[in-house]
Amino acid sequence: DFVDETSSESPAPGGGSVAALAGSLSGALSSMVAWLTVGKKGYEDAFEPMKKLAVEAQQVKDAFLRAIDDDTAAFNAFMATMRMPKKTEEQKSARDAAMQQATRRAIDVPFSVLERCPQAVSLAEKAAARGNENSLSDAAVAASCALCAAEGAYFNVLINLAGMEDEVYQTERQNKAKALLQQTREAALA
């Protein structure tokens, strides 16, 4: 249903929600690799670390899943502010303030996705390093999904930053987003 809705003329869910979905798939795959390791002969030393990894990966997956709807809600809130009246100076002022608040939310949601991506890659790396060798490709796909999530979230942060009037916030977020993307890329491609 999500994919069908994304492929429709509806502007939401869009790229931000899809980036969050990719992140959730990363966490899901890391958890899967961990559980495919626990209880398998020859991996006894990895049972406890993989159990912990599975729990952490589930938490990461769930956070990304929440961001799917949060991103759609942020977009819808932004669109609602666009429809606010602007006939009087007071209305224009209220609309402008609401637009800045809605824009900040539209930045903060994909930024939170981007912030989680290094952790998602780290989980995939740990799953690959100690997990069931038969699931190595799944751990690699988990890292790829985390990178996809990071790149998608980064693009959504950038496009929304263009609407921010607060230049200090804009510069800080852009620099931090760029650093998070680079950190994720380096880890995912290592």
Side-chain angles (χ1 to χ4, degrees):
D1 290 344
F2 177 83
V3 174
D4 287 341
E5 180 66 21
T6 302
S7 70
S8 74
E9 73 282 354
S10 172
S17 292
V18 171
L21 175 63
S24 72
L25 293 172
S26 175
L29 283 168
S30 291
S31 179
M32 181 189 82
V33 172
W35 286 122
L36 289 173
T37 305
V38 174
K40 298 291 188 262
K41 186 177 179 180
Y43 294 96
E44 291 81 6
D45 289 346
F47 288 1
E48 288 308 311
M50 287 295 109
K51 285 179 185 177
K52 289 178 184 174
L53 188 147
V55 169
E56 185 180 351
Q58 287 291 332
Q59 292 168 344
V60 166
K61 176 199 65 136
D62 291 344
F64 280 125
L65 282 175
R66 284 189 298 276
I68 293 170
D69 290 335
D70 290 348
D71 190 79
T72 298
F75 176 80
N76 290 337
F78 179 82
M79 293 307 292
T81 63
M82 295 285 289
R83 294 187 291 274
M84 289 176 67
K86 53 184 178 180
K87 293 180 181 175
T88 68
E89 287 303 314
E90 189 174 276
Q91 287 175 337
K92 286 178 187 176
S93 180
R95 181 179 180 270
D96 288 346
M99 295 256 325
Q100 287 301 294
Q101 184 178 9
T103 299
R104 187 178 294 248
R105 184 172 174 211
I107 294 164
D108 288 346
V109 173
F111 189 84
S112 73
V113 168
L114 185 52
E115 284 181 310
R116 277 195 269 312
C117 290
Q119 181 184 13
V121 170
S122 176
L123 291 168
E125 289 175 334
K126 290 174 185 174
R130 297 202 60 191
N132 187 324
E133 290 179 9
N134 294 321
S135 299
L136 188 57
S137 61
D138 299 305
V141 174
S144 295
C145 285
L147 178 56
C148 175
E151 290 175 339
Y154 177 76
F155 296 138
N156 278 272
V157 168
L158 286 187
I159 198 164
N160 289 307
L161 276 173
M164 280 303 295
E165 294 173 3
D166 182 343
E167 291 179 14
V168 172
Y169 173 86
Q170 189 179 46
T171 301
E172 182 272 331
R173 281 294 193 204
Q174 186 170 358
N175 290 339
K176 181 69 174 167
K178 195 178 295 184
L180 286 165
L181 177 60
Q182 186 62 30
Q183 179 185 358
T184 304
R185 276 186 180 149
E186 289 173 4
L189 300 174

